[in-house]
């Protein structure tokens, strides 16, 4: 038998990277097979044994190209590094208010705007049908190589989309939303199972004193219905930057460790010392241990992390979760 001295170390099972946009200087969007295989070989050093690449909002052709590459790589991949799982589509189907750094011009949240953008004057489809047709197109080009789709439950026809996708076996995540509690609860009742990076880009309405509004009608709050549901999951970015440690602990204690998904939401700069990288075609700057996008007025928006999963596990341990 081989003896390994693990004193002062953490013993943990291999991690699944469920929500990540890149690593080692490369983004998953528009990645080629050679680079993708190289990245997969790098993941085990960060404790990761399987990866679900997350694709951000981008033009349709870029999404199709990425999905095709992911599927083709999966079909030819030998077991050398982390295994490749179907992708996570965190893209396009969000309202403008909580989009974060997602490209406003590429969002699909209005049938009228969509038809205008693509010059579809004689198209009578509703937004529900536009979204489902687009997702079916993504499925056909990639042999259905995606498993999770994020959507804002406040956009038109969202509940019908959720019901249809869950009927196909797709996991629906709710995020980048300024929905009310009742809209969020209706999405959960329709089959939504996951909350995208809890505490970030999710409506959390406050009163004039800055306190959470919990006592008046149907306020804008996506988080509480998920915390109150026994069958759903919430994602937490474990970098202690997206939300602070006290909020992490509150969410984990409230939801329970078996219903919390530790994610990195990492951008391409993760695993490097790079000061900038690309995310969804935008230039992202690495500042204060996080990734930020700056608009034309210099205002910055948090848009991912430089976190690796091994550090996320360490941070969770330091918050008091795990065995000593």
């Amino acid at each position: 038998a081989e003896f390994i001295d693990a004193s002062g170390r953490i013993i943990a099972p291999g991690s699944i990277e469920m929500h990540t946009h890149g690593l080692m200087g490369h983004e998953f969007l528009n990645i080629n097979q050679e680079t993708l295989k190289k990245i997969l070989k790098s993941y085990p050093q960060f404790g990761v044994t399987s990866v679900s690449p997350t694709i951000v909002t981008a033009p349709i052709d870029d999404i199709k190209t990425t999905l095709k590459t992911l599927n083709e790589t999966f079909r030819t991949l030998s077991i050398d590094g982390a295994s490749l799982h179907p992708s996570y589509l965190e893209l396009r189907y969000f309202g403008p208010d909580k989009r974060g750094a997602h490209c406003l011009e590429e969002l699909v949240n209005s049938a009228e705007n969509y038809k205008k953008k693509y010059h579809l004057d004689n198209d009578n489809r509703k937004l529900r049908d536009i979204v489902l047709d687009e997702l079916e197109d993504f499925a056909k080009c990639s042999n259905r190589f995606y498993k999770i789709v994020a959507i804002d439950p406040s956009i038109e026809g969202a509940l019908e989309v959720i019901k249809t996708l869950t009927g196909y076996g797709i996991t629906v995540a709710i995020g980048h939303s300024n929905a009310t509690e009742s809209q969020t609860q209706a999405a959960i009742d329709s089959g939504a199972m996951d909350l995208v990076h809890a505490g970030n880009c999710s409506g959390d309405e406050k009163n004039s004193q800055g306190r959470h509004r919990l006592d008046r009608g149907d306020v804008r709050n996506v988080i509480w219905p998920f915390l109150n549901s026994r069958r759903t999951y919430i994602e937490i970015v474990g970098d202690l930057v997206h939300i602070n440690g006290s909020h992490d602990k509150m969410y984990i204690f409230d939801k329970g460790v078996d219903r919390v998904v530790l994610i990195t939401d990492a951008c391409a700069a993760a695993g490097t010392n790079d000061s900038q990288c690309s995310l969804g075609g935008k230039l992202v700057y690495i500042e204060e241990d996080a990734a930020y996008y700056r608009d034309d007025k210099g205002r910055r928006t948090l848009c991912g992390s430089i976190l690796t999963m091994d550090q996320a596990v360490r941070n969770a341990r330091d918050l008091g979760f795990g065995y000593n």
Side-chain angles (χ1 to χ4, degrees), residues 160-221:
E160 294 167 283
V161 172
I162 293 169
K163 291 175 183 177
T164 301
L165 292 177
T166 54
Y168 291 155
I170 301 295
T171 297
V172 175
I174 297 303
H176 290 279
S177 175
N178 204 26
T180 64
E181 288 192 17
S182 65
Q183 288 173 324
T184 304
Q185 186 60 55
I188 292 172
D189 294 341
S190 297
M193 288 289 292
D194 179 51
L195 176 59
V196 182
H197 38 56
N200 296 103
C201 292
S202 49
D204 193 3
E205 195 170 338
K206 299 178 177 64
N207 61 22
S208 59
Q209 286 77 42
R211 296 178 179 177
H212 297 294
R213 292 185 58 186
L214 303 176
D215 56 349
R216 268 200 193 169
D218 188 21
V219 299
R220 298 189 180 279
N221 196 312

Side-chain angles (χ1 to χ4, degrees), residues 277-298:
C277 65
S278 175
L279 179 64
K282 291 184 176 182
L283 184 62
V284 170
Y285 298 92
I286 311 305
E287 303 170 358
E288 301 170 357
D289 297 324
Y292 294 92
Y293 162 71
R294 291 188 178 275
D295 64 16
D296 54 4
K297 295 182 179 180

Side-chain angles (χ1 to χ4, degrees), residues 31-301:
I31 200 169
N32 59 54
Q33 286 197 51
E34 181 180 353
T35 303
L36 178 56
K37 291 178 179 179
K38 182 179 179 181
I39 291 176
L40 291 173
K41 290 182 180 179
S42 300
Y43 268 109
Q45 68 181 289
F46 303 111
V48 175
T49 53
S50 55
V51 182
S52 183
T54 306
I55 307 174
V56 296
T57 298
I60 290 177
D61 288 344
D62 290 346
I63 296 169
K64 286 183 177 181
T65 298
T66 304
L67 285 169
K68 287 178 182 178
T69 300
L70 292 173
N71 180 58
E72 290 168 358
T73 305
F74 172 77
R75 293 164 66 88
T76 62
L77 189 65
S78 60
I79 301 176
D80 185 11
S83 60
L84 185 63
H85 285 194
S87 58
Y88 183 148
L89 304 185
E90 186 195 6
L91 46 79
R92 293 177 69 80
Y93 315 122
F94 310 131
D97 295 340
K98 295 290 184 177
R99 72 182 188 277
H102 286 257
C103 180
L104 178 62
E105 292 73 23
E106 294 296 336
L107 293 179
V108 179
N109 51 48
S110 163
E112 180 181 352
N113 291 344
Y114 182 91
K115 294 170 187 178
K116 183 177 180 180
K117 176 179 174 61
Y118 294 103
H119 308 290
L120 303 172
D121 297 332
N122 298 319
D123 192 336
N124 295 318
R125 291 178 298 168
K126 295 181 178 180
L127 183 61
R128 169 203 63 191
D129 301 315
I130 290 171
V131 171
L132 289 174
D133 288 348
E134 186 170 286
L135 287 169
E136 180 60 24
D137 203 16
F138 293 158
K140 287 179 179 178
C141 78
S142 66
N143 194 27
R144 299 192 177 278
F145 203 71
Y146 63 83
K147 187 63 177 175
I148 305 172
V149 175
I151 189 170
D152 175 357
S154 67
I155 67 172
E156 174 195 341
L159 298 185
E160 294 167 283
V161 172
I162 293 169
K163 291 175 183 177
T164 301
L165 292 177
T166 54
Y168 291 155
I170 301 295
T171 297
V172 175
I174 297 303
H176 290 279
S177 175
N178 204 26
T180 64
E181 288 192 17
S182 65
Q183 288 173 324
T184 304
Q185 186 60 55
I188 292 172
D189 294 341
S190 297
M193 288 289 292
D194 179 51
L195 176 59
V196 182
H197 38 56
N200 296 103
C201 292
S202 49
D204 193 3
E205 195 170 338
K206 299 178 177 64
N207 61 22
S208 59
Q209 286 77 42
R211 296 178 179 177
H212 297 294
R213 292 185 58 186
L214 303 176
D215 56 349
R216 268 200 193 169
D218 188 21
V219 299
R220 298 189 180 279
N221 196 312
V222 179
I223 299 173
W224 299 114
F226 273 91
L227 292 179
N228 292 331
S229 169
R230 303 296 295 176
R231 67 176 187 84
T232 58
Y233 296 83
I234 65 169
E235 303 173 12
I236 288 181
V237 183
D239 62 353
L240 306 181
V241 175
H242 277 69
I243 55 177
N244 63 40
S246 62
H247 279 79
D248 280 334
K249 292 179 74 170
M250 179 187 72
Y251 290 154
I252 296 171
F253 279 127
D254 196 4
K255 192 66 178 171
V257 292
D258 59 335
R259 291 284 168 172
V260 173
V261 183
L262 194 62
I263 66 167
T264 64
D265 196 21
C267 64
T272 75
N273 293 316
D274 296 346
S275 60
Q276 60 187 43
C277 65
S278 175
L279 179 64
K282 291 184 176 182
L283 184 62
V284 170
Y285 298 92
I286 311 305
E287 303 170 358
E288 301 170 357
D289 297 324
Y292 294 92
Y293 162 71
R294 291 188 178 275
D295 64 16
D296 54 4
K297 295 182 179 180
R299 295 171 299 194
R300 69 180 193 178
T301 300

